[in-house]
Amino acid sequence: MAIKDQAKERLDEIDRILDEYENSLGLPAYSGDFGDQTVKGYMEMSRGAMEKLTIEECAEAALLLGGFSFYLQRSYNRENSRVNWATSVLKSTISGRESQYGGSWDSQFEQAVKGDGYCSKVNSIKRYAQQRADRITYLSTSAKNLSDLFVNLQKAKAGRRYE
């Protein structure tokens, strides 16, 4: 088995253990696909279209966007745990070896990582996970805010119904 495959296999094992932990908390199994594509329509909806929604449609939008917010946060957490795992592995594996190299500490650390096939693979996993996490940072909050907007719109429409 190639050294680089060992890093991926170890990460897969960590993911499996964390998935079991989430399941023990009562969370459903994670899926890389949110599944309900109607959420995109609510995210792109104009103000005029929002105002034309019924109370029930506002409730549906709020529920879907709230679920999507949870999905985005969970996706972010998964990537963040991968970054943390990789950082820990790199520090513990490279510790002491970096002094063999010249330059700043960062330069020494990077040179030590590049000189080790396993660490190189772990570092590429870390970079990839960090890029994915960076892309979705704060999006769960934005989706939740949009969900709250539909809840408030629903309440406003319900209030108008009784005036």
Side-chain angles (χ1 to χ4, degrees):
M1 176 191 318
I3 290 176
K4 292 182 179 183
D5 293 338
Q6 290 175 350
K8 177 68 173 117
E9 287 179 10
R10 183 63 184 138
L11 176 62
D12 291 344
E13 176 68 11
I14 297 295
D15 277 342
R16 186 189 63 71
I17 291 167
L18 292 174
D19 286 342
E20 287 175 5
Y21 171 67
E22 287 181 354
N23 287 341
S24 76
L25 295 175
L27 294 173
Y30 178 81
S31 169
D33 179 20
F34 181 63
D36 194 326
Q37 299 304 310
T38 57
V39 74
K40 290 179 183 177
Y42 290 122
M43 292 178 71
E44 298 170 348
M45 191 172 280
S46 69
R47 180 181 173 140
M50 286 178 186
E51 290 174 354
K52 292 178 183 175
L53 294 176
T54 66
I55 292 173
E56 292 78 15
E57 290 169 329
C58 289
E60 177 186 350
L63 183 64
L64 279 172
L65 287 162
F68 188 59
S69 173
F70 175 80
Y71 169 77
L72 287 171
Q73 184 63 50
R74 194 170 183 195
S75 298
Y76 173 80
N77 291 351
R78 291 177 69 85
E79 297 303 331
N80 197 43
S81 71
R82 291 173 179 148
V83 169
N84 290 338
W85 167 79
T87 298
S88 176
V89 166
L90 291 171
K91 285 181 180 177
S92 65
T93 306
I94 296 300
S95 179
R97 288 194 230 164
E98 65 274 8
S99 61
Q100 300 171 27
Y101 301 94
S104 68
W105 185 88
D106 286 338
S107 176
Q108 291 173 336
F109 186 81
E110 289 300 320
Q111 291 174 69
V113 167
K114 286 180 183 176
D116 182 298
Y118 180 76
C119 287
S120 289
K121 180 59 178 173
V122 169
N123 201 36
S124 69
I125 289 169
K126 178 184 175 181
R127 279 194 310 270
Y128 181 70
Q130 186 63 63
Q131 289 167 347
R132 289 170 56 100
D134 289 347
R135 286 294 292 261
I136 61 173
T137 299
Y138 305 117
L139 290 182
S140 67
T141 302
S142 296
K144 177 65 171 98
N145 290 343
L146 197 51
S147 172
D148 292 345
L149 182 141
F150 279 101
V151 167
N152 291 335
L153 182 59
Q154 178 189 24
K155 289 177 181 176
K157 287 177 178 277
R160 278 188 248 146
R161 184 188 287 180
Y162 297 109
E163 291 178 358

